[in-house]
């Protein structure tokens, strides 16, 4: 099995500087440094310069600290290649310079370079958390971000609160003929299909979650659950944990009809033919689902699922 080496949102390169997050003197000096760069994020988007030619590359737009808007600030890290320190600020986006526009991870995740893909993923995840976790869960008091922005503190009882990440499993199931199981979610329009996925429940292992979710959604029992790779998916706060699993022979698919509308086995030839006939459409390359499907297929597949903008 080839490794999942092209996970768009798992490419971050900056040092996260976890030691410096609570060092207020260091943080103040870094913010005062005109060479520091700030990424402003709002509602999952940041400004980016996007080449609309065939190469399709993108780069984030940063501002120096003195030009950054007021908002919740957090340290993202330092690029050790050139020493630049990066912060994120959750605030309304500044006016877009010519040639730039707001963009979300789904659109530019595969177009950004490694450093920028990691910075945007990290910043969106932290901003989403700050935006939705504003009060102490113990007593309801509004919390205050701690230095560095990687935790909040309740001023009433002093409790500290840390960013949330929800683990989700996503799995490609094969039968004894090495056909793969693809399903259409009842909430998805038209021809979209993907592999099965679901959230890990409290008190459950990821392997148990894989077995439970496949059985719930298709009545297929799987064995030999193997981890293949992970990708953060901060929309709003998931960590996608990728797996392969095997379905022993002699089982019939029975979808739940609530979450899954239909599910079928596809050989590699059948999959390519169905895509080319536009009978089905796979998830976009930015998703771990697409990468796991192409890993099984043995190479790239045509794209037909329109990317959301
Ligand atoms: Zn409290």
């Amino acid at each position: 099995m080839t490794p999942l080496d092209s996970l768009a949102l798992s490419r971050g390169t900056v040092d996260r500087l976890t030691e410096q997050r609570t060092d207020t003197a260091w943080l103040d000096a870094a913010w005062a440094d005109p060479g520091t760069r700030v990424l402003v994020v709002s509602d999952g988007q940041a400004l980016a310069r996007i080449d609309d030619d065939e190469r399709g590359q993108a780069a984030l737009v940063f501002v120096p600290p003195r030009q950054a808007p007021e908002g919740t600030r957090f340290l993202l890290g330092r690029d050790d290649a050139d020493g630049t320190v990066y912060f994120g600020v959750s605030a309304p986006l500044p006016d877009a310079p010519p040639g730039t526009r707001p963009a979300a991870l789904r659109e530019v995740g595969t177009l950004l370079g490694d450093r920028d893909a990691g910075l945007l993923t990290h910043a969106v995840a932290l901003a989403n958390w700050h935006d939705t976790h504003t009060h102490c869960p113990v007593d309801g008091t509004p919390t205050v971000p701690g230095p560095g922005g990687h935790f909040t503190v309740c001023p009433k009882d002093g409790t500290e609160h840390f960013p949330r990440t929800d683990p989700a499993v996503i799995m490609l199931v094969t039968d004894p003929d090495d056909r793969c199981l693809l399903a259409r979610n009842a909430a998805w329009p038209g021809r979209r299909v993907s592999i099965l996925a679901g959230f890990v429940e409290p008190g459950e292992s990821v392997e148990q979650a894989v077995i439970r979710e496949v059985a719930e959604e298709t009545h297929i029992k799987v064995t030999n659950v193997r981890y293949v790779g992970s990708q953060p998916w901060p929309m709003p706060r998931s960590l996608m944990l990728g797996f392969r699993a095997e379905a022993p022979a002699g089982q019939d698919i029975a979808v739940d009809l609530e979450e899954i509308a239909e599910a079928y086995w596809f050989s590699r030839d059948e999959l390519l033919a169905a895509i080319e006939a536009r009978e089905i459409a796979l998830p976009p390359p930015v998703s771990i689902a697409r990468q796991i499907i192409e890993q099984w297929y043995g190479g790239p597949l045509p794209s037909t699922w329109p990317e959301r903008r």
Side-chain angles (χ1 to χ4, degrees), residues 136 138-139 141 154 156-157 159:
C136 173
V138 180
D139 58 26
T141 305
C154 172
K156 189 171 175 188
D157 64 10
T159 53

Side-chain angles (χ1 to χ4, degrees), residues 26-52:
W26 187 94
L27 290 164
D28 289 347
W31 189 259
D33 183 342
T36 290
R37 287 293 171 266
V38 182
L39 182 64
V40 183
V41 290
S42 176
D43 204 16
Q45 295 189 313
L47 294 180
R49 189 176 304 280
I50 303 167
D51 287 349
D52 287 320

Side-chain angles (χ1 to χ4, degrees), residues 198-268:
F199 286 105
V200 180
E201 294 198 337
E204 184 177 49
S205 75
V206 288
E207 292 84 358
Q208 289 171 323
V210 168
I211 293 166
R212 175 182 54 76
E213 284 285 344
V214 176
E216 281 176 7
E217 295 181 349
T218 63
H219 273 92
I220 297 290
K221 289 187 165 55
V222 295
T223 60
N224 199 11
V225 175
R226 289 156 295 154
Y227 172 75
V228 295
S230 71
Q231 170 163 274
W233 193 253
M235 282 80 87
R237 58 174 169 273
S238 297
L239 173 65
M240 305 303 298
L241 300 151
F243 292 86
R244 295 278 297 266
E246 293 172 11
Q251 303 190 72
D252 292 324
I253 296 170
V255 296
D256 62 12
L257 292 178
E258 287 184 18
E259 195 169 348
I260 300 297
E262 46 190 354
Y264 302 100
W265 296 107
F266 287 87
S267 70
R268 289 173 178 78

Side-chain angles (χ1 to χ4, degrees), residues 72 129-146 151-162:
T72 304
W129 174 67
H130 279 295
D131 288 350
T132 55
H133 291 69
T134 54
H135 290 68
C136 173
V138 180
D139 58 26
T141 305
T143 50
V144 180
F151 65 102
T152 58
V153 182
C154 172
K156 189 171 175 188
D157 64 10
T159 53
E160 295 181 348
H161 306 282
F162 293 88

